[in-house]
Amino acid sequence: MSFASASVAIHQLIELQTLKTPDAAAIVFQNQRLTYRELNQKANQLAHYLQILGVKPETLVGICVERSLDMLVALLGILKAGGAYVPLDPSYPQDRLAFVIEDTQLPVLITQQHLCAILPQTQHAQLVCLDTDWQTVAQQSEANPESSVTAENLAYAIYTSGSTGKPKGVQITHQAVVNFLRSMQAEPGLCQQDVLLAITTISFDIAVLELFLPLIVGAEILLVSRDIASSGTLLSNLLSESNATVMQATPATWRMLVAAGWKGNKPLKMLCGGEALTRSLADQLLERGSSLWQMYGPTETTVWSMVHHVEFGDRAVPLGHAIANTQIYIVQEPARRKNDSLQIVSGEGEGEIYIGGQGVSQGYLNRPDLTREKFIPDPFSADPNVRLYKTGDLARLLPNGDIEMIGRIDHQVKIRGYRIELGDIETALSQHPNVRESVVITREDESGERRLVAYVVLKAQSLQLRSTELRAWLKDKLPEYMVPAIVVFMENLPLTPNLKVDRRALPVPTLDAQEEFVSPRTELERQLAQIWTAVLGVEVGIYHNFFESGGDSLRTALLLSRVREAFQVELSLDCLFKAPTVAGFAEVIQAVQSCGSTAGFNTTPTELWADANLDDAIRPHAISALHNSDAVLSELRSGLIAAQPIFLTGATGFIGAFLLQELLLHNPQMTAYCLVRADDCEAASDRLRKSLERYELWQDTFGSRIIPVLGDLSQPLFGLSESQFRELADRVDVIYHSGAYVNLVYPYTALRNANVLGTQEVLRLATQTRTLPVHYISTIDVFHSSEYEEATFISETDQLLSCDGYTEGYAQSKWVAEKLVMQARDRGLPVCIYRLGMITGHSQTGAFQLNNMICRLIKGFIQLGCAPELDLKMSLAPVDYIVQAIRHLSSQPASFGQTFHLVSPHLFTLKQLVADLNVLDYWVTLMPYQQWQTKLLAMPPENALTSMASMFTKRPDKQQTPIETATFVSQAFDTRNTDIGLDGTDIVCAPIDSSVLRIYLLYFMQNGFLPQNSQLTCMP
């Protein structure tokens, strides 16, 4: 069905009706009324005034007005001016009003004088008070204003409640509303003789039918006050006394009327929607009115998308059939999965409701990521611009063509942006030798964030297994985001009567079963315990370790923020790592409040210098010969070519996995001993294989050539016995040390064991029984110090400056580790140091470490819709270039004793990143750094930048943010040694441009890191 008026705007239809029935009553409220002419004239005056204020097509105008004649005047005036209205219900909490006003950046806000007190302060919105400003408004012309608004322009943006608690602004065009109104005019039907009782707040989109449908057919609106609409008795009396012929309401309101004793109005046409209409309520309503209509549709497809004329019966009330110019598809369940094409259900099969047609919204305001996820290209249309909306509702198609609602399909678990199958975690848990059975669910903490909780039954109650031990075991089998934050041990899992696990009966997590629970002893400990419990989502005692109880980067930032608000003290991560219990942290707070500083808890240069002193026992054998003899270096080179066994740390990490593949591919006879944490060799081999598979690197021939070494980089001798350590030293000929704990937020104390002490143990291995050459993977982060602020060029031969200018833990740990390696080199150990810049994914496959800083930046900017105007120059080098360079340089005898800068010659700016994202249809805007910082701090916890927020925000004891420090030292890096070493090869660093970035974004989508973007996948 097509309508001749489909290309006009809403107010133009009302203007046409005004010409036909100028003196008929348009709206009645209490003892007041406006005719069509009066309503049109008042709306015209307001429209002219709004145009003077700058309102034009696509301008969002807020309206916060009590239910009154003025409310309709304001709505119509906004549309006539060319703008789109944003309803703000005066009864809403101030926080919600503030969010909508800020999110929309309203330039104009229409209200009433007495409501100004409840509205949040705003710098960008001009207030128009309809009561006190009307004398000024009334001076404007009563003629219909001219505006360039078209059917494609926005009519309104209504905010609905988001699943995460963050409201979503749904954008609806004039064309969508006009199509809806014309369809409603035909069915359920409305004519000039009707009187529609309007009870719905304008913040609920079904009010669109109540306020605009009567005005395009010449009917009358009987507007009801908020008090009457919320009282069953008062509403019942009004229905009985009025001449209303049509009323629309939710099932809850209709139930309220029935419960209040409403006997019915025989001429009344009843529209019911917004939630499920039960058969019982339907039958009761059918006895009380002339007809009953079931209405179905999400806000995202313009009020109602389906309609059904309800009759008496004994089965569930169906949703009905599509309204005009609307397509309804029932899509088979597999189509919700990645890379599956849409398949329509056959027969009476079940599936998700997808809606297409003229009513589909433009998407969510300022939420491009969510828009791309919920609004997808319509594969059933030849028009590439047509989209379908995924409702999330599960339904079945009935033989007569009607559709019957079943429920929701939102059982998919998504944690921190990652889609997770809970069964995968349960399968991993079942492999633990002490676990009999388990179940994993999600729970929301105080902030509304979902967290994984595992409920575990051990094979024997006498077994001793701590939550921290089980979580550590899982980290070797699963990605970190799949490891449950909390583990609860139970004697048995609760069951339903049909012997299935009763997930609803699973208890709220506590920690008292894991270790002795000690209650707070002081008021300070009590307050801290409340914060601990709120952040972790589990009750804690004063001696429970924050990190062993589920604390991670996200919750660490939240905890410190809550402590700052509660006690007015600024505490660093160092404080938490050094005192990770309620009892210990209470002592820290008392000490800081006493002396006014956290300096006593920060890592000092003295501590770093002490750690930078290499164990005197670590000395190579036959120093002079190895240090001076070309024959020895030649022997080392021949050993590499002959592919003698190597020892590799960090093989399950991003760089390590690619380096392992590169070395194995180019040395077909090479055997690689790889340090890995696991319970046994089989589990270790499985972990190594999965790491390579994750980045699409695995080949079956690798299985026999990779030998796992069960150990831990952070432990003395890697956790091996002395004999095992010596045996390892005897078996390998070359060491590649790629392992490190990479966390740009954690303090030095958290990284010291793996990055510093682990490096010392590598050097110990290299000198244990004979001298083994060491290839050490370092980072240009060793220059992330204010000491280099004035440097314009950093040479490969430059000595590291003092540690005084370092403020971030990772840079501190790599500075100390490199100092240890340099001391070993000075003692005669053959060493190569490779300083890596920022590493990106594979330039051809896109394979990327998804928790990489660059990935989080990209995703976080997309989620926020903005990025800071910061002169950040990034040296982004693809991982394939990095490992090719290391493999080649490490095979050259001239490389020993040298340092190589492996950085891209193509500096990539933050502005270029934003520009490329926009080219690829991910719209991100640049904004001033301080303004962006404010928006960053207000972001929801699911934003990818949450765990990195401290990198962009100042601390009271520092003059610059960490990212600003990085900006100061991102000057030119000398690569002469690298250039000479790679001369004559085809190993070159590809620039990161929009084509490479597109490969990365496709990889992100394929792995669920970013929502699907149809425009991106269609690009050549």
Side-chain angles (χ1 to χ4, degrees):
M1 180 187 299
S2 62
F3 299 119
S5 55
S7 61
V8 302
I10 302 166
H11 58 278
Q12 292 168 341
L13 291 179
I14 298 172
E15 290 168 356
L16 289 173
Q17 184 59 46
T18 300
L19 294 175
K20 298 177 183 177
T21 56
D23 298 320
I27 180 170
V28 175
F29 178 71
Q30 296 175 349
N31 296 322
Q32 304 171 294
R33 69 192 292 272
L34 287 175
T35 64
Y36 274 80
R37 178 187 287 111
E38 292 167 337
L39 172 63
N40 193 56
Q41 289 172 344
K42 282 179 170 288
N44 287 341
Q45 290 174 319
L46 179 59
H48 285 294
Y49 184 71
L50 292 176
Q51 288 179 334
I52 293 173
L53 297 182
V55 175
K56 57 183 182 298
E58 301 300 308
T59 300
L60 296 178
V61 180
I63 172 172
C64 184
V65 176
E66 297 285 6
R67 296 180 69 77
S68 60
L69 301 181
D70 285 345
M71 181 185 76
L72 187 57
V73 169
L75 290 173
L76 191 52
I78 293 170
L79 297 178
K80 282 171 168 281
Y85 70 85
V86 179
L88 298 161
D89 194 311
S91 67
Y92 279 177
Q94 269 208 332
D95 286 349
R96 183 180 176 106
L97 294 176
F99 173 85
V100 174
I101 291 173
E102 179 63 27
D103 194 49
T104 53
Q105 292 289 299
L106 296 172
V108 178
L109 174 53
I110 298 175
T111 186
Q112 294 161 317
Q113 186 63 45
H114 70 281
L115 295 178
C116 290
I118 70 166
L119 290 171
Q121 294 295 320
T122 173
Q123 301 297 321
H124 49 76
Q126 303 176 76
L127 292 184
V128 177
C129 294
L130 291 178
D131 42 8
T132 57
D133 292 336
W134 189 256
Q135 283 189 336
T136 303
V137 174
Q139 296 175 16
Q140 303 300 315
S141 169
E142 294 181 345
N144 293 334
E146 292 290 334
S147 75
S148 56
V149 68
T150 69
E152 286 73 32
N153 288 125
L154 282 184
Y156 62 79
I158 284 184
Y159 277 74
T160 65
S161 296
S163 59
T164 62
K166 180 180 179 181
K168 304 170 296 186
V170 181
Q171 304 174 96
I172 301 295
T173 64
H174 282 268
Q175 182 184 51
V177 178
V178 169
N179 180 76
F180 164 73
L181 295 176
R182 284 307 194 196
S183 183
M184 292 297 101
Q185 179 184 356
E187 187 184 37
L190 197 75
C191 65
Q192 185 174 333
Q193 289 71 39
D194 279 315
V195 175
L196 190 148
L197 195 70
I199 66 171
T200 307
T201 170
I202 60 172
S203 291
F204 189 4
D205 70 324
I206 70 175
V208 169
L209 180 149
E210 298 175 7
L211 298 179
F212 296 136
L213 179 57
L215 296 181
I216 70 168
V217 300
E220 178 183 317
I221 301 169
L222 180 56
L223 188 67
V224 176
S225 69
R226 189 187 307 273
D227 291 339
I228 292 177
S230 60
S231 168
T233 301
L234 294 177
L235 186 57
S236 174
N237 292 340
L238 180 60
L239 268 173
S240 300
E241 296 167 0
S242 71
N243 58 347
T245 60
V246 181
M247 186 177 115
Q248 171 187 251
T250 64
T253 298
W254 288 116
R255 277 192 292 268
M256 178 184 72
L257 274 170
V258 172
W262 176 57
K263 301 302 181 183
N265 294 53
K266 284 303 178 182
L268 188 66
K269 180 181 293 185
M270 300 167 289
L271 314 184
C272 184
E275 57 186 9
L277 171 62
T278 64
R279 169 50 62 184
S280 173
L281 177 60
D283 288 347
Q284 293 178 73
L285 294 177
L286 286 169
E287 295 172 351
R288 289 168 167 81
S290 67
S291 64
L292 174 64
W293 296 80
Q294 158 89 305
M295 318 296 287
Y296 166 84
T299 302
E300 287 83 349
T301 56
T302 311
V303 194
W304 306 129
S305 301
M306 300 174 67
V307 61
H308 174 72
H309 188 190
V310 183
E311 298 178 347
F312 285 101
D314 56 3
R315 65 172 299 166
V317 179
L319 300 180
H321 58 269
I323 70 169
N325 301 310
T326 299
Q327 296 82 47
I328 306 294
Y329 302 101
I330 309 299
V331 179
Q332 291 180 3
E333 177 109 355
R336 297 189 297 116
R337 299 174 184 165
K338 180 178 63 179
N339 298 328
D340 285 337
S341 59
L342 297 185
Q343 300 293 328
I344 306 300
V345 300
S346 57
E348 294 188 53
E350 300 176 359
E352 182 180 359
I353 298 177
Y354 284 48
I355 300 178
Q358 290 188 11
V360 176
S361 161
Q362 287 189 347
Y364 302 116
L365 183 67
N366 300 329
R367 302 286 293 277
D369 52 343
L370 189 58
T371 297
R372 283 187 288 268
E373 179 180 345
K374 299 294 288 183
F375 297 85
I376 66 170
D378 185 349
F380 311 112
S381 171
D383 186 345
N385 298 316
V386 173
R387 294 181 298 171
L388 296 178
Y389 174 69
K390 300 162 60 176
T391 68
D393 289 329
L394 187 64
R396 68 169 60 92
L397 186 65
L398 301 178
N400 65 355
D402 281 338
I403 296 173
E404 183 178 80
M405 185 78 165
I406 298 174
R408 294 288 297 175
I409 63 168
D410 297 337
H411 301 310
Q412 184 182 69
V413 176
K414 196 171 184 181
I415 301 292
R416 289 160 54 187
Y418 296 97
R419 294 180 177 87
I420 297 173
E421 292 289 343
L422 297 180
D424 291 343
I425 306 174
E426 294 169 357
T427 298
L429 281 167
S430 68
Q431 296 170 1
H432 192 282
N434 293 340
V435 173
R436 187 181 79 196
E437 56 181 330
S438 66
V439 63
V440 180
I441 65 171
T442 62
R443 287 190 180 275
E444 287 191 358
D445 60 17
E446 185 188 59
S447 66
E449 184 182 358
R450 300 171 79 187
R451 308 179 67 194
L452 294 170
V453 180
Y455 294 83
V456 175
V457 177
L458 300 178
K459 291 182 178 178
Q461 293 301 311
S462 59
L463 293 171
Q464 297 296 317
L465 183 62
R466 290 168 55 90
S467 169
T468 53
E469 295 171 341
L470 187 54
R471 292 180 71 249
W473 183 85
L474 281 174
K475 285 180 180 179
D476 291 337
K477 293 183 171 294
L478 299 171
E480 184 179 358
Y481 62 84
M482 292 181 67
V483 176
I486 301 169
V487 177
V488 179
F489 293 101
M490 304 182 69
E491 292 187 8
N492 293 288
L493 296 177
L495 302 177
T496 63
N498 60 356
L499 302 182
K500 293 184 178 180
V501 175
D502 189 350
R503 294 171 181 259
R504 294 186 177 181
L506 293 168
V508 175
T510 63
L511 296 175
D512 54 359
Q514 298 175 27
E515 56 184 280
E516 183 182 2
F517 188 97
V518 179
S519 299
R521 302 160 299 183
T522 66
E523 177 60 21
L524 177 57
E525 288 182 347
R526 185 190 66 78
Q527 293 181 61
L528 278 176
Q530 289 180 341
I531 296 174
W532 239 257
T533 298
V535 170
L536 292 171
V538 57
E539 187 178 5
V540 299
I542 64 172
Y543 295 121
H544 285 125
N545 186 293
F546 177 79
F547 300 101
E548 294 178 358
S549 304
D552 54 19
S553 298
L554 299 175
R555 284 164 187 81
T556 296
L558 182 59
L559 176 76
L560 294 178
S561 173
R562 296 279 180 87
V563 169
R564 179 174 60 250
E565 294 172 1
F567 302 105
Q568 302 303 304
V569 292
E570 186 80 31
L571 301 178
S572 66
L573 274 172
D574 264 333
C575 297
L576 184 58
F577 274 95
K578 291 179 178 179
T581 65
V582 168
F585 213 57
E587 294 178 2
V588 171
I589 291 176
Q590 289 175 327
V592 172
Q593 289 176 333
S594 175
C595 66
S597 172
T598 62
F601 298 92
N602 296 335
T603 301
T604 65
T606 301
E607 292 174 287
L608 297 179
W609 277 114
D611 281 348
N613 187 22
L614 183 65
D615 187 341
D616 192 59
I618 300 176
R619 293 185 178 275
H621 299 261
I623 296 176
S624 59
L626 278 168
H627 198 57
N628 300 309
S629 172
D630 289 340
V632 173
L633 292 178
S634 179
E635 184 178 327
L636 289 171
R637 181 177 185 274
S638 66
L640 281 172
I641 293 176
Q644 295 300 313
I646 68 166
F647 175 64
L648 173 64
T649 67
T652 57
F654 182 55
I655 301 295
F658 276 91
L659 182 57
L660 176 59
Q661 186 229 26
E662 180 73 15
L663 293 171
L664 292 176
L665 283 180
H666 285 80
N667 298 278
Q669 304 305 314
M670 176 183 286
T671 300
Y673 288 79
C674 299
L675 186 68
V676 59
R677 295 192 309 272
D679 288 337
D680 52 50
C681 288
E682 181 179 355
S685 296
D686 185 60
R687 186 181 178 203
L688 288 164
R689 178 176 56 80
K690 286 182 178 179
S691 295
L692 292 174
E693 288 177 339
R694 184 180 308 129
Y695 303 119
E696 304 174 9
L697 304 173
W698 177 257
Q699 295 186 15
D700 290 339
T701 56
F702 291 168
S704 60
R705 300 170 58 197
I706 299 176
I707 301 174
V709 177
L710 304 184
D712 187 337
L713 185 63
S714 65
Q715 299 300 314
L717 306 182
F718 307 141
L720 306 176
S721 66
E722 289 187 13
S723 61
Q724 290 173 327
F725 193 72
R726 290 181 64 86
E727 182 181 356
L728 177 62
D730 284 333
R731 288 194 176 191
V732 300
D733 291 331
V734 182
I735 298 175
Y736 288 83
H737 179 31
S738 175
Y741 190 174
V742 181
N743 189 301
L744 303 182
V745 176
Y746 276 10
Y748 176 78
T749 49
L751 309 174
R752 176 177 180 268
N753 285 354
N755 296 358
V756 175
L757 302 186
T759 298
Q760 180 160 264
E761 294 309 291
V762 167
L763 298 172
R764 191 185 309 280
L765 181 71
T767 59
Q768 185 71 13
T769 60
R770 55 199 174 101
T771 299
L772 305 176
V774 174
H775 298 281
Y776 172 59
I777 313 301
S778 186
T779 170
I780 61 170
D781 281 13
V782 296
F783 301 113
H784 282 188
S785 162
S786 58
E787 296 278 322
Y788 295 91
E789 182 175 330
E790 302 300 326
T792 57
F793 186 79
I794 299 176
S795 171
E796 290 168 315
T797 59
D798 284 350
Q799 294 296 314
L800 295 180
L801 299 178
S802 75
C803 58
D804 292 354
Y806 293 91
T807 59
E808 307 312 313
Y810 181 67
Q812 289 172 330
S813 71
K814 297 301 284 186
W815 180 89
V816 174
E818 192 166 313
K819 280 288 187 181
L820 296 176
V821 174
M822 288 178 171
Q823 289 178 55
R825 182 185 63 187
D826 293 342
R827 294 178 186 180
L829 186 67
V831 167
C832 293
I833 297 175
Y834 307 91
R835 291 181 185 144
L836 277 51
M838 291 186 181
I839 311 302
T840 62
H842 196 285
S843 61
Q844 302 300 315
T845 68
F848 221 129
Q849 186 180 34
L850 295 179
N851 63 355
N852 175 286
M853 174 184 171
I854 300 300
C855 294
R856 289 185 177 275
L857 281 178
I858 292 172
K859 182 175 181 178
F861 291 161
I862 291 173
Q863 290 174 321
L864 280 177
C866 59
E869 289 180 342
L870 188 63
D871 187 24
L872 177 60
K873 304 179 184 71
M874 298 175 287
S875 171
L876 303 182
V879 67
D880 41 320
Y881 162 73
I882 294 297
V883 296
Q884 289 171 19
I886 293 175
R887 185 261 307 162
H888 179 79
L889 293 170
S890 67
S891 69
Q892 306 303 307
S895 296
F896 289 108
Q898 295 195 59
T899 299
F900 301 93
H901 286 166
L902 298 182
V903 296
S904 173
H906 319 283
L907 286 181
F908 191 68
T909 66
L910 200 59
K911 292 180 180 179
Q912 183 181 344
L913 172 62
V914 171
D916 285 346
L917 286 174
N918 289 335
V919 167
L920 295 170
D921 203 41
Y922 284 99
W923 295 104
V924 177
T925 59
L926 287 168
M927 65 171 52
Y929 189 28
Q930 289 186 341
Q931 182 182 346
W932 183 83
Q933 285 177 314
T934 301
K935 188 164 185 177
L936 175 74
L937 293 175
M939 65 187 173
E942 66 267 20
N943 188 284
L945 291 173
T946 299
S947 61
M948 298 168 53
S950 61
M951 293 184 62
F952 296 91
T953 53
K954 283 186 173 63
R955 304 179 190 177
D957 56 338
K958 297 177 176 65
Q959 297 301 311
Q960 300 160 349
T961 65
I963 203 69
E964 287 173 312
T965 301
T967 300
F968 281 126
V969 298
S970 62
Q971 292 86 5
F973 286 90
D974 167 39
T975 59
R976 184 174 305 175
N977 289 344
T978 302
D979 295 340
I980 294 173
L982 297 180
D983 186 39
T985 73
D986 58 357
I987 301 173
V988 294
C989 182
I992 306 301
D993 54 21
S994 59
S995 62
V996 177
L997 187 59
R998 176 179 178 271
I999 293 173
Y1000 293 157
L1001 295 174
L1002 288 171
Y1003 181 82
F1004 294 168
M1005 287 192 299
Q1006 290 165 5
N1007 287 272
F1009 188 68
L1010 283 180
Q1012 294 295 312
N1013 181 335
S1014 59
Q1015 296 299 319
L1016 185 66
T1017 54
C1018 293
M1019 289 180 182

